[in-house]
Amino acid sequence: MDRIRICGGVPINGEIPISGAKNAALPLMTAALLSAETLTLSNLPHLADITTLANLLVQHGVEIRMNGAAAGDGHIGRVLELSAGTITSTRAPYDLVRKMRASILVLGPLLAREGRAEVSLPGGCAIGTRPVDLHLKGLTLLGAEIDLREGYVHAAAPNGLVGAEIVFPMVSVGATENLLMAATLAKGTTRLVNAAREPEVTDLALCLTSMGARIEGMGSDTLIIHGVERLHGAAHSVIPDRIETGTYAMAAAITGGEVELLGAKAEHLRSVIEILGRAGVSVTETNRGLHVKRADGRLHGVDVMTEPFPGFPTDLQAQTMSLMAAAEGAAMITESIFENRFMHVPELCRMGADINVHGASAMVRGQPSLTGAEVMATDLRASVSLVIAALAAQGETVVNRVYHLDRGYERLEDKLAACGARIERIK
Ligand code: EPZ
């Protein structure tokens, strides 16, 4: 199993190309199931999760062709052409779904297009139980009959889905995406109230619109979808990854470096830019992306609470904790989205951080310095928070279980090494 070795203490300086967003790319790929014509997606990141979903789609009968190259080599990321001319199977099997929870996003499109789907329940994961009840309740309101048997969701709508009003009791990115896709082919109008407003949801809505869907309220918490008979082919470019952007901004900040994040969009990161500003990090827009520089002196502790967009993203909580672990003063970090997303805390403490968890909050008392250690992590963002801490720590850190990083960060070690980090992958 690969590991990553980092010798800390070197400022991260230079330019980092930001890849296409993983969490936008995954739902966009499943949208290909909605049409018999070809959906061409560009600026896709080269990541393990993209391959996992491609394998699932192929198994449903989608033909996939790939060209282009990885981002950062002067190209704009990979291009995938996805053609779901005939759906050959409506079953998403356990062995593929268990590898990645986002596989549940095939449910809405398969049901809308084929009138049936059998999708394995994804099960819990390292950051919480993560049920899919909101996806299932919403589809039931659109007229689907849903039955849970032998670990699978069996969904049927032999006469097609019918538009309805769905009021989400809490904000869910995945449930919003699944229902948005399903509603595009339902008869009549659907209103999704208290819908997620994440940029990835808006990117999906834009792509669906290019495919012929009729959607109002994009970017707001109420989406109105007027169902159409069929969707057609389209070409769509995936938005830049705001979580990758925030991660590298924090890597520069913790090491006292200065970076330009190429292709990054400030409008996707307002809450993060605000917190970084209060911590002593300036983030300004350039004509190529975002420029990040830490002010002279140490970072300041700032309280942070994760919230649905436009609030502070849970996917940057772990990285922020590393930053605060090396800041001056204390910071209270509260996780309001997932119930178990502090698995990085014991590992950060092994690197010299002073963090106490009380329920959904963590009190971080910043230390003058962190120290390298052998560490391992349980999920993608926890792993990268250890990389960030290691970049600033004295001595050597070895991060185990690198496969977590490969799920969501394209060429992480190359991008950081190009900015001066002493980082290498050990095979
Ligand atoms: C998406 O997950 C992202 N994944 C996650 O990114 C991200 O952390 C999360 O949104 C929140 O922003 C993808 O986009 C592929 P949710 P998703 O439904 O859609 C509860 C990363 O590191 N809930 O918005 O699964 C749920 O348990 C990842 O890249 C229900 O109770 O998240 C959670 O507490 C990890 N019932 C909260 O809602 C449901 O039916 C928000 O989850 C659905 C969700």
Side-chain angles (χ1 to χ4, degrees), residues 22-23 26 101-102 127 129-135 170-175 177 198 242 314-315 337-339 341 379-381:
K22 165 181 83 83
N23 289 347
L26 296 172
R101 296 183 50 86
I127 60 176
T129 47
R130 301 182 76 184
V132 291
D133 55 319
L134 301 177
H135 303 236
M170 64 192 287
V171 177
S172 163
V173 174
E177 291 167 343
E198 268 65 6
R242 65 192 167 104
T314 172
D315 291 346
I337 309 289
F338 290 108
E339 74 268 28
R341 213 174 194 183
D379 80 273
L380 168 60
R381 310 303 172 187

PDB file of all heavy atoms in Angstrom, residues 22-23 26 101-102 127 129-135 170-175 177 198 242 314-315 337-339 341 379-381, ligand 1:
ATOM      1  N   LYS A  22     -14.513  16.933  -7.977  1.00  0.00           N
ATOM      2  CA  LYS A  22     -14.993  15.539  -7.834  1.00  0.00           C
ATOM      3  C   LYS A  22     -16.496  15.501  -7.553  1.00  0.00           C
ATOM      4  O   LYS A  22     -17.236  14.751  -8.186  1.00  0.00           O
ATOM      5  CB  LYS A  22     -14.235  14.853  -6.683  1.00  0.00           C
ATOM      6  CG  LYS A  22     -14.869  13.557  -6.209  1.00  0.00           C
ATOM      7  CD  LYS A  22     -14.116  12.927  -5.060  1.00  0.00           C
ATOM      8  CE  LYS A  22     -14.439  13.456  -3.689  1.00  0.00           C
ATOM      9  NZ  LYS A  22     -15.628  12.891  -3.027  1.00  0.00           N
ATOM     10  N   ASN A  23     -16.944  16.302  -6.600  1.00  0.00           N
ATOM     11  CA  ASN A  23     -18.338  16.200  -6.168  1.00  0.00           C
ATOM     12  C   ASN A  23     -19.322  16.834  -7.145  1.00  0.00           C
ATOM     13  O   ASN A  23     -20.531  16.689  -6.987  1.00  0.00           O
ATOM     14  CB  ASN A  23     -18.509  16.781  -4.762  1.00  0.00           C
ATOM     15  CG  ASN A  23     -17.870  15.880  -3.725  1.00  0.00           C
ATOM     16  OD1 ASN A  23     -17.527  14.731  -4.022  1.00  0.00           O
ATOM     17  ND2 ASN A  23     -17.683  16.395  -2.515  1.00  0.00           N
ATOM     18  N   LEU A  26     -19.197  13.618 -10.217  1.00  0.00           N
ATOM     19  CA  LEU A  26     -19.901  12.345  -9.976  1.00  0.00           C
ATOM     20  C   LEU A  26     -21.390  12.437 -10.340  1.00  0.00           C
ATOM     21  O   LEU A  26     -21.875  11.623 -11.138  1.00  0.00           O
ATOM     22  CB  LEU A  26     -19.688  11.879  -8.526  1.00  0.00           C
ATOM     23  CG  LEU A  26     -18.225  11.554  -8.160  1.00  0.00           C
ATOM     24  CD1 LEU A  26     -18.084  11.293  -6.654  1.00  0.00           C
ATOM     25  CD2 LEU A  26     -17.717  10.339  -8.940  1.00  0.00           C
ATOM     26  N   ARG A 101     -20.232   5.869  -1.875  1.00  0.00           N
ATOM     27  CA  ARG A 101     -21.626   6.174  -1.558  1.00  0.00           C
ATOM     28  C   ARG A 101     -22.340   6.948  -2.656  1.00  0.00           C
ATOM     29  O   ARG A 101     -23.555   6.831  -2.809  1.00  0.00           O
ATOM     30  CB  ARG A 101     -21.687   7.008  -0.276  1.00  0.00           C
ATOM     31  CG  ARG A 101     -21.186   6.310   0.934  1.00  0.00           C
ATOM     32  CD  ARG A 101     -21.383   7.208   2.119  1.00  0.00           C
ATOM     33  NE  ARG A 101     -22.748   7.691   2.126  1.00  0.00           N
ATOM     34  CZ  ARG A 101     -23.777   7.057   2.655  1.00  0.00           C
ATOM     35  NH1 ARG A 101     -23.596   5.911   3.243  1.00  0.00           N
ATOM     36  NH2 ARG A 101     -24.992   7.568   2.591  1.00  0.00           N
ATOM     37  N   ALA A 102     -21.578   7.755  -3.419  1.00  0.00           N
ATOM     38  CA  ALA A 102     -22.211   8.573  -4.463  1.00  0.00           C
ATOM     39  C   ALA A 102     -22.910   7.707  -5.510  1.00  0.00           C
ATOM     40  O   ALA A 102     -23.708   8.205  -6.304  1.00  0.00           O
ATOM     41  CB  ALA A 102     -21.182   9.479  -5.120  1.00  0.00           C
ATOM     42  N   ILE A 127     -17.398   8.717   8.366  1.00  0.00           N
ATOM     43  CA  ILE A 127     -17.763  10.025   8.920  1.00  0.00           C
ATOM     44  C   ILE A 127     -19.172  10.057   9.506  1.00  0.00           C
ATOM     45  O   ILE A 127     -19.622  11.069  10.000  1.00  0.00           O
ATOM     46  CB  ILE A 127     -17.577  11.170   7.887  1.00  0.00           C
ATOM     47  CG1 ILE A 127     -18.436  10.962   6.643  1.00  0.00           C
ATOM     48  CG2 ILE A 127     -16.119  11.321   7.535  1.00  0.00           C
ATOM     49  CD1 ILE A 127     -18.340  12.124   5.647  1.00  0.00           C
ATOM     50  N   THR A 129     -23.325   7.715   9.923  1.00  0.00           N
ATOM     51  CA  THR A 129     -24.203   6.646   9.423  1.00  0.00           C
ATOM     52  C   THR A 129     -24.698   6.949   8.013  1.00  0.00           C
ATOM     53  O   THR A 129     -24.908   6.058   7.219  1.00  0.00           O
ATOM     54  CB  THR A 129     -25.426   6.454  10.345  1.00  0.00           C
ATOM     55  OG1 THR A 129     -25.968   7.747  10.612  1.00  0.00           O
ATOM     56  CG2 THR A 129     -25.048   5.793  11.645  1.00  0.00           C
ATOM     57  N   ARG A 130     -24.881   8.204   7.697  1.00  0.00           N
ATOM     58  CA  ARG A 130     -25.246   8.665   6.368  1.00  0.00           C
ATOM     59  C   ARG A 130     -26.403   7.887   5.724  1.00  0.00           C
ATOM     60  O   ARG A 130     -26.222   7.199   4.715  1.00  0.00           O
ATOM     61  CB  ARG A 130     -24.022   8.683   5.453  1.00  0.00           C
ATOM     62  CG  ARG A 130     -22.931   9.585   5.995  1.00  0.00           C
ATOM     63  CD  ARG A 130     -21.738   9.658   5.094  1.00  0.00           C
ATOM     64  NE  ARG A 130     -21.953  10.494   3.922  1.00  0.00           N
ATOM     65  CZ  ARG A 130     -21.077  10.645   2.954  1.00  0.00           C
ATOM     66  NH1 ARG A 130     -19.929  10.014   3.006  1.00  0.00           N
ATOM     67  NH2 ARG A 130     -21.326  11.425   1.924  1.00  0.00           N
ATOM     68  N   PRO A 131     -27.601   8.014   6.289  1.00  0.00           N
ATOM     69  CA  PRO A 131     -28.760   7.333   5.686  1.00  0.00           C
ATOM     70  C   PRO A 131     -29.131   7.943   4.336  1.00  0.00           C
ATOM     71  O   PRO A 131     -28.648   9.017   3.973  1.00  0.00           O
ATOM     72  CB  PRO A 131     -29.871   7.567   6.705  1.00  0.00           C
ATOM     73  CG  PRO A 131     -29.464   8.787   7.455  1.00  0.00           C
ATOM     74  CD  PRO A 131     -27.963   8.841   7.438  1.00  0.00           C
ATOM     75  N   VAL A 132     -30.012   7.248   3.592  1.00  0.00           N
ATOM     76  CA  VAL A 132     -30.495   7.789   2.307  1.00  0.00           C
ATOM     77  C   VAL A 132     -32.014   7.960   2.339  1.00  0.00           C
ATOM     78  O   VAL A 132     -32.675   7.973   1.308  1.00  0.00           O
ATOM     79  CB  VAL A 132     -30.065   6.913   1.094  1.00  0.00           C
ATOM     80  CG1 VAL A 132     -28.568   6.994   0.873  1.00  0.00           C
ATOM     81  CG2 VAL A 132     -30.515   5.469   1.258  1.00  0.00           C
ATOM     82  N   ASP A 133     -32.567   8.100   3.550  1.00  0.00           N
ATOM     83  CA  ASP A 133     -34.029   8.192   3.699  1.00  0.00           C
ATOM     84  C   ASP A 133     -34.628   9.368   2.927  1.00  0.00           C
ATOM     85  O   ASP A 133     -35.724   9.263   2.374  1.00  0.00           O
ATOM     86  CB  ASP A 133     -34.406   8.279   5.189  1.00  0.00           C
ATOM     87  CG  ASP A 133     -33.712   9.425   5.904  1.00  0.00           C
ATOM     88  OD1 ASP A 133     -32.517   9.653   5.645  1.00  0.00           O
ATOM     89  OD2 ASP A 133     -34.358  10.112   6.709  1.00  0.00           O
ATOM     90  N   LEU A 134     -33.900  10.489   2.856  1.00  0.00           N
ATOM     91  CA  LEU A 134     -34.460  11.656   2.159  1.00  0.00           C
ATOM     92  C   LEU A 134     -34.568  11.396   0.656  1.00  0.00           C
ATOM     93  O   LEU A 134     -35.515  11.844   0.004  1.00  0.00           O
ATOM     94  CB  LEU A 134     -33.600  12.900   2.411  1.00  0.00           C
ATOM     95  CG  LEU A 134     -33.444  13.314   3.880  1.00  0.00           C
ATOM     96  CD1 LEU A 134     -32.508  14.506   4.008  1.00  0.00           C
ATOM     97  CD2 LEU A 134     -34.802  13.660   4.483  1.00  0.00           C
ATOM     98  N   HIS A 135     -33.606  10.654   0.109  1.00  0.00           N
ATOM     99  CA  HIS A 135     -33.666  10.287  -1.320  1.00  0.00           C
ATOM    100  C   HIS A 135     -34.928   9.437  -1.538  1.00  0.00           C
ATOM    101  O   HIS A 135     -35.689   9.653  -2.484  1.00  0.00           O
ATOM    102  CB  HIS A 135     -32.470   9.425  -1.732  1.00  0.00           C
ATOM    103  CG  HIS A 135     -31.120  10.037  -1.489  1.00  0.00           C
ATOM    104  ND1 HIS A 135     -30.201  10.208  -2.486  1.00  0.00           N
ATOM    105  CD2 HIS A 135     -30.505  10.498  -0.373  1.00  0.00           C
ATOM    106  CE1 HIS A 135     -29.095  10.743  -2.000  1.00  0.00           C
ATOM    107  NE2 HIS A 135     -29.261  10.914  -0.715  1.00  0.00           N
ATOM    108  N   MET A 170     -34.131  18.553   6.144  1.00  0.00           N
ATOM    109  CA  MET A 170     -32.759  19.060   6.329  1.00  0.00           C
ATOM    110  C   MET A 170     -32.095  19.136   4.961  1.00  0.00           C
ATOM    111  O   MET A 170     -32.566  18.507   4.009  1.00  0.00           O
ATOM    112  CB  MET A 170     -31.959  18.143   7.268  1.00  0.00           C
ATOM    113  CG  MET A 170     -31.745  16.759   6.716  1.00  0.00           C
ATOM    114  SD  MET A 170     -31.102  15.604   7.951  1.00  0.00           S
ATOM    115  CE  MET A 170     -29.446  16.190   8.100  1.00  0.00           C
ATOM    116  N   VAL A 171     -31.036  19.912   4.875  1.00  0.00           N
ATOM    117  CA  VAL A 171     -30.392  20.098   3.573  1.00  0.00           C
ATOM    118  C   VAL A 171     -29.539  18.879   3.244  1.00  0.00           C
ATOM    119  O   VAL A 171     -28.686  18.484   4.039  1.00  0.00           O
ATOM    120  CB  VAL A 171     -29.520  21.374   3.573  1.00  0.00           C
ATOM    121  CG1 VAL A 171     -28.785  21.519   2.243  1.00  0.00           C
ATOM    122  CG2 VAL A 171     -30.370  22.592   3.847  1.00  0.00           C
ATOM    123  N   SER A 172     -29.786  18.275   2.100  1.00  0.00           N
ATOM    124  CA  SER A 172     -28.957  17.153   1.645  1.00  0.00           C
ATOM    125  C   SER A 172     -28.540  17.393   0.199  1.00  0.00           C
ATOM    126  O   SER A 172     -29.387  17.555  -0.685  1.00  0.00           O
ATOM    127  CB  SER A 172     -29.738  15.835   1.744  1.00  0.00           C
ATOM    128  OG  SER A 172     -29.111  14.834   0.950  1.00  0.00           O
ATOM    129  N   VAL A 173     -27.240  17.394  -0.023  1.00  0.00           N
ATOM    130  CA  VAL A 173     -26.699  17.594  -1.369  1.00  0.00           C
ATOM    131  C   VAL A 173     -27.130  16.436  -2.271  1.00  0.00           C
ATOM    132  O   VAL A 173     -27.711  16.630  -3.337  1.00  0.00           O
ATOM    133  CB  VAL A 173     -25.145  17.688  -1.309  1.00  0.00           C
ATOM    134  CG1 VAL A 173     -24.546  17.753  -2.702  1.00  0.00           C
ATOM    135  CG2 VAL A 173     -24.719  18.889  -0.473  1.00  0.00           C
ATOM    136  N   GLY A 174     -26.896  15.217  -1.810  1.00  0.00           N
ATOM    137  CA  GLY A 174     -27.177  14.034  -2.632  1.00  0.00           C
ATOM    138  C   GLY A 174     -28.663  13.873  -2.924  1.00  0.00           C
ATOM    139  O   GLY A 174     -29.046  13.560  -4.047  1.00  0.00           O
ATOM    140  N   ALA A 175     -29.509  14.088  -1.891  1.00  0.00           N
ATOM    141  CA  ALA A 175     -30.950  13.919  -2.111  1.00  0.00           C
ATOM    142  C   ALA A 175     -31.453  14.977  -3.096  1.00  0.00           C
ATOM    143  O   ALA A 175     -32.274  14.687  -3.975  1.00  0.00           O
ATOM    144  CB  ALA A 175     -31.700  14.005  -0.784  1.00  0.00           C
ATOM    145  N   GLU A 177     -29.736  16.316  -5.495  1.00  0.00           N
ATOM    146  CA  GLU A 177     -29.260  15.941  -6.844  1.00  0.00           C
ATOM    147  C   GLU A 177     -30.081  14.783  -7.417  1.00  0.00           C
ATOM    148  O   GLU A 177     -30.484  14.799  -8.592  1.00  0.00           O
ATOM    149  CB  GLU A 177     -27.775  15.581  -6.772  1.00  0.00           C
ATOM    150  CG  GLU A 177     -26.922  16.811  -6.483  1.00  0.00           C
ATOM    151  CD  GLU A 177     -25.476  16.491  -6.092  1.00  0.00           C
ATOM    152  OE1 GLU A 177     -25.171  15.338  -5.717  1.00  0.00           O
ATOM    153  OE2 GLU A 177     -24.649  17.415  -6.138  1.00  0.00           O
ATOM    154  N   GLU A 198     -25.394  24.097  -2.910  1.00  0.00           N
ATOM    155  CA  GLU A 198     -23.961  23.937  -3.188  1.00  0.00           C
ATOM    156  C   GLU A 198     -23.682  24.193  -4.682  1.00  0.00           C
ATOM    157  O   GLU A 198     -24.512  23.839  -5.543  1.00  0.00           O
ATOM    158  CB  GLU A 198     -23.534  22.505  -2.823  1.00  0.00           C
ATOM    159  CG  GLU A 198     -23.017  22.303  -1.405  1.00  0.00           C
ATOM    160  CD  GLU A 198     -24.056  22.529  -0.299  1.00  0.00           C
ATOM    161  OE1 GLU A 198     -25.242  22.746  -0.611  1.00  0.00           O
ATOM    162  OE2 GLU A 198     -23.673  22.500   0.879  1.00  0.00           O
ATOM    163  N   ARG A 242     -13.773  23.427  -5.365  1.00  0.00           N
ATOM    164  CA  ARG A 242     -13.613  24.451  -4.312  1.00  0.00           C
ATOM    165  C   ARG A 242     -12.941  23.856  -3.067  1.00  0.00           C
ATOM    166  O   ARG A 242     -12.292  24.572  -2.307  1.00  0.00           O
ATOM    167  CB  ARG A 242     -14.966  25.093  -3.973  1.00  0.00           C
ATOM    168  CG  ARG A 242     -15.960  24.143  -3.367  1.00  0.00           C
ATOM    169  CD  ARG A 242     -17.369  24.721  -3.325  1.00  0.00           C
ATOM    170  NE  ARG A 242     -18.309  23.656  -3.032  1.00  0.00           N
ATOM    171  CZ  ARG A 242     -18.896  23.466  -1.852  1.00  0.00           C
ATOM    172  NH1 ARG A 242     -18.686  24.289  -0.862  1.00  0.00           N
ATOM    173  NH2 ARG A 242     -19.723  22.449  -1.664  1.00  0.00           N
ATOM    174  N   THR A 314     -18.232  21.436   5.352  1.00  0.00           N
ATOM    175  CA  THR A 314     -17.720  20.342   6.195  1.00  0.00           C
ATOM    176  C   THR A 314     -16.478  19.696   5.564  1.00  0.00           C
ATOM    177  O   THR A 314     -15.609  19.205   6.273  1.00  0.00           O
ATOM    178  CB  THR A 314     -18.812  19.271   6.431  1.00  0.00           C
ATOM    179  OG1 THR A 314     -18.225  18.150   7.083  1.00  0.00           O
ATOM    180  CG2 THR A 314     -19.478  18.804   5.155  1.00  0.00           C
ATOM    181  N   ASP A 315     -16.392  19.721   4.232  1.00  0.00           N
ATOM    182  CA  ASP A 315     -15.248  19.079   3.567  1.00  0.00           C
ATOM    183  C   ASP A 315     -13.939  19.855   3.754  1.00  0.00           C
ATOM    184  O   ASP A 315     -12.886  19.404   3.286  1.00  0.00           O
ATOM    185  CB  ASP A 315     -15.544  18.877   2.065  1.00  0.00           C
ATOM    186  CG  ASP A 315     -16.618  17.827   1.838  1.00  0.00           C
ATOM    187  OD1 ASP A 315     -16.928  17.081   2.783  1.00  0.00           O
ATOM    188  OD2 ASP A 315     -17.155  17.770   0.716  1.00  0.00           O
ATOM    189  N   ILE A 337     -22.718  19.033  10.231  1.00  0.00           N
ATOM    190  CA  ILE A 337     -23.279  18.230   9.130  1.00  0.00           C
ATOM    191  C   ILE A 337     -23.188  16.722   9.423  1.00  0.00           C
ATOM    192  O   ILE A 337     -24.163  16.004   9.281  1.00  0.00           O
ATOM    193  CB  ILE A 337     -22.552  18.523   7.791  1.00  0.00           C
ATOM    194  CG1 ILE A 337     -22.502  20.035   7.520  1.00  0.00           C
ATOM    195  CG2 ILE A 337     -23.198  17.759   6.631  1.00  0.00           C
ATOM    196  CD1 ILE A 337     -23.796  20.694   7.157  1.00  0.00           C
ATOM    197  N   PHE A 338     -22.007  16.270   9.813  1.00  0.00           N
ATOM    198  CA  PHE A 338     -21.827  14.828  10.067  1.00  0.00           C
ATOM    199  C   PHE A 338     -21.542  14.592  11.546  1.00  0.00           C
ATOM    200  O   PHE A 338     -20.874  15.396  12.197  1.00  0.00           O
ATOM    201  CB  PHE A 338     -20.674  14.277   9.223  1.00  0.00           C
ATOM    202  CG  PHE A 338     -21.009  14.240   7.751  1.00  0.00           C
ATOM    203  CD1 PHE A 338     -20.423  15.134   6.871  1.00  0.00           C
ATOM    204  CD2 PHE A 338     -21.931  13.335   7.261  1.00  0.00           C
ATOM    205  CE1 PHE A 338     -20.747  15.117   5.520  1.00  0.00           C
ATOM    206  CE2 PHE A 338     -22.268  13.311   5.921  1.00  0.00           C
ATOM    207  CZ  PHE A 338     -21.675  14.196   5.048  1.00  0.00           C
ATOM    208  N   GLU A 339     -22.015  13.452  12.073  1.00  0.00           N
ATOM    209  CA  GLU A 339     -21.916  13.219  13.514  1.00  0.00           C
ATOM    210  C   GLU A 339     -20.576  12.655  13.956  1.00  0.00           C
ATOM    211  O   GLU A 339     -20.279  12.609  15.133  1.00  0.00           O
ATOM    212  CB  GLU A 339     -23.074  12.329  14.002  1.00  0.00           C
ATOM    213  CG  GLU A 339     -22.992  10.863  13.648  1.00  0.00           C
ATOM    214  CD  GLU A 339     -23.699  10.512  12.342  1.00  0.00           C
ATOM    215  OE1 GLU A 339     -23.802  11.376  11.443  1.00  0.00           O
ATOM    216  OE2 GLU A 339     -24.126   9.367  12.219  1.00  0.00           O
ATOM    217  N   ARG A 341     -17.222  13.309  12.391  1.00  0.00           N
ATOM    218  CA  ARG A 341     -16.181  13.751  11.465  1.00  0.00           C
ATOM    219  C   ARG A 341     -14.984  14.353  12.200  1.00  0.00           C
ATOM    220  O   ARG A 341     -14.399  15.347  11.742  1.00  0.00           O
ATOM    221  CB  ARG A 341     -16.755  14.720  10.437  1.00  0.00           C
ATOM    222  CG  ARG A 341     -16.021  14.540   9.120  1.00  0.00           C
ATOM    223  CD  ARG A 341     -16.578  15.332   7.976  1.00  0.00           C
ATOM    224  NE  ARG A 341     -15.990  14.811   6.746  1.00  0.00           N
ATOM    225  CZ  ARG A 341     -16.197  15.285   5.547  1.00  0.00           C
ATOM    226  NH1 ARG A 341     -16.998  16.308   5.380  1.00  0.00           N
ATOM    227  NH2 ARG A 341     -15.620  14.767   4.488  1.00  0.00           N
ATOM    228  N   ASP A 379     -10.540   8.850   6.282  1.00  0.00           N
ATOM    229  CA  ASP A 379     -11.266   9.303   5.091  1.00  0.00           C
ATOM    230  C   ASP A 379     -10.437  10.352   4.373  1.00  0.00           C
ATOM    231  O   ASP A 379      -9.381  10.775   4.847  1.00  0.00           O
ATOM    232  CB  ASP A 379     -12.679   9.790   5.457  1.00  0.00           C
ATOM    233  CG  ASP A 379     -12.708  11.200   6.011  1.00  0.00           C
ATOM    234  OD1 ASP A 379     -12.543  11.384   7.235  1.00  0.00           O
ATOM    235  OD2 ASP A 379     -12.873  12.134   5.218  1.00  0.00           O
ATOM    236  N   LEU A 380     -10.986  10.739   3.227  1.00  0.00           N
ATOM    237  CA  LEU A 380     -10.279  11.647   2.328  1.00  0.00           C
ATOM    238  C   LEU A 380      -9.820  12.956   2.986  1.00  0.00           C
ATOM    239  O   LEU A 380      -8.647  13.320   2.942  1.00  0.00           O
ATOM    240  CB  LEU A 380     -11.253  11.927   1.183  1.00  0.00           C
ATOM    241  CG  LEU A 380     -10.975  13.019   0.200  1.00  0.00           C
ATOM    242  CD1 LEU A 380      -9.672  12.743  -0.496  1.00  0.00           C
ATOM    243  CD2 LEU A 380     -12.111  13.085  -0.811  1.00  0.00           C
ATOM    244  N   ARG A 381     -10.763  13.678   3.590  1.00  0.00           N
ATOM    245  CA  ARG A 381     -10.415  15.009   4.122  1.00  0.00           C
ATOM    246  C   ARG A 381      -9.563  14.887   5.380  1.00  0.00           C
ATOM    247  O   ARG A 381      -8.715  15.743   5.648  1.00  0.00           O
ATOM    248  CB  ARG A 381     -11.665  15.838   4.389  1.00  0.00           C
ATOM    249  CG  ARG A 381     -12.651  15.889   3.222  1.00  0.00           C
ATOM    250  CD  ARG A 381     -12.074  16.417   1.923  1.00  0.00           C
ATOM    251  NE  ARG A 381     -13.035  16.246   0.815  1.00  0.00           N
ATOM    252  CZ  ARG A 381     -12.756  16.484  -0.454  1.00  0.00           C
ATOM    253  NH1 ARG A 381     -11.558  16.872  -0.828  1.00  0.00           N
ATOM    254  NH2 ARG A 381     -13.683  16.318  -1.379  1.00  0.00           N
TER     255      ARG A 381
HETATM  256  C1  EPZ B   1     -22.029  15.290  -0.289  1.00  0.00           C
HETATM  257  O1  EPZ B   1     -22.358  14.078   0.368  1.00  0.00           O
HETATM  258  C2  EPZ B   1     -20.560  15.211  -0.635  1.00  0.00           C
HETATM  259  N1  EPZ B   1     -20.340  14.055  -1.504  1.00  0.00           N
HETATM  260  C3  EPZ B   1     -19.744  15.098   0.640  1.00  0.00           C
HETATM  261  O2  EPZ B   1     -18.362  15.126   0.285  1.00  0.00           O
HETATM  262  C4  EPZ B   1     -20.037  16.315   1.537  1.00  0.00           C
HETATM  263  O3  EPZ B   1     -19.361  16.159   2.753  1.00  0.00           O
HETATM  264  C5  EPZ B   1     -21.545  16.412   1.785  1.00  0.00           C
HETATM  265  O4  EPZ B   1     -22.266  16.431   0.525  1.00  0.00           O
HETATM  266  C6  EPZ B   1     -21.947  17.643   2.573  1.00  0.00           C
HETATM  267  O5  EPZ B   1     -21.542  18.799   1.906  1.00  0.00           O
HETATM  268  C7  EPZ B   1     -20.582  14.152  -2.807  1.00  0.00           C
HETATM  269  O6  EPZ B   1     -21.015  15.192  -3.309  1.00  0.00           O
HETATM  270  C8  EPZ B   1     -20.302  12.975  -3.641  1.00  0.00           C
HETATM  271  P1  EPZ B   1     -25.611  15.122   2.329  1.00  0.00           P
HETATM  272  P2  EPZ B   1     -23.874  13.674   0.613  1.00  0.00           P
HETATM  273  O7  EPZ B   1     -26.696  14.277   1.802  1.00  0.00           O
HETATM  274  O8  EPZ B   1     -24.694  14.150  -0.529  1.00  0.00           O
HETATM  275  C9  EPZ B   1     -27.792  13.519   6.296  1.00  0.00           C
HETATM  276  C10 EPZ B   1     -16.057  14.487   0.482  1.00  0.00           C
HETATM  277  O9  EPZ B   1     -15.173  14.426   1.371  1.00  0.00           O
HETATM  278  N2  EPZ B   1     -28.702  12.794   5.401  1.00  0.00           N
HETATM  279  O10 EPZ B   1     -25.646  16.577   2.061  1.00  0.00           O
HETATM  280  O11 EPZ B   1     -23.906  12.240   0.936  1.00  0.00           O
HETATM  281  C11 EPZ B   1     -26.366  12.962   6.218  1.00  0.00           C
HETATM  282  O12 EPZ B   1     -26.216  11.816   7.024  1.00  0.00           O
HETATM  283  C12 EPZ B   1     -17.484  14.106   0.775  1.00  0.00           C
HETATM  284  O13 EPZ B   1     -15.814  14.803  -0.699  1.00  0.00           O
HETATM  285  C13 EPZ B   1     -29.783  12.125   5.946  1.00  0.00           C
HETATM  286  O14 EPZ B   1     -30.001  12.100   7.165  1.00  0.00           O
HETATM  287  O15 EPZ B   1     -24.210  14.535   1.905  1.00  0.00           O
HETATM  288  C14 EPZ B   1     -25.555  14.143   6.668  1.00  0.00           C
HETATM  289  O16 EPZ B   1     -25.547  14.191   8.066  1.00  0.00           O
HETATM  290  C15 EPZ B   1     -17.741  13.307   1.970  1.00  0.00           C
HETATM  291  N3  EPZ B   1     -30.627  11.444   5.087  1.00  0.00           N
HETATM  292  C16 EPZ B   1     -26.339  15.335   6.113  1.00  0.00           C
HETATM  293  O17 EPZ B   1     -27.658  14.838   5.842  1.00  0.00           O
HETATM  294  C17 EPZ B   1     -30.431  11.444   3.739  1.00  0.00           C
HETATM  295  O18 EPZ B   1     -31.224  10.811   3.027  1.00  0.00           O
HETATM  296  C18 EPZ B   1     -25.788  15.941   4.831  1.00  0.00           C
HETATM  297  O19 EPZ B   1     -25.533  14.898   3.910  1.00  0.00           O
HETATM  298  C19 EPZ B   1     -29.343  12.150   3.203  1.00  0.00           C
HETATM  299  C20 EPZ B   1     -28.488  12.832   4.057  1.00  0.00           C
END
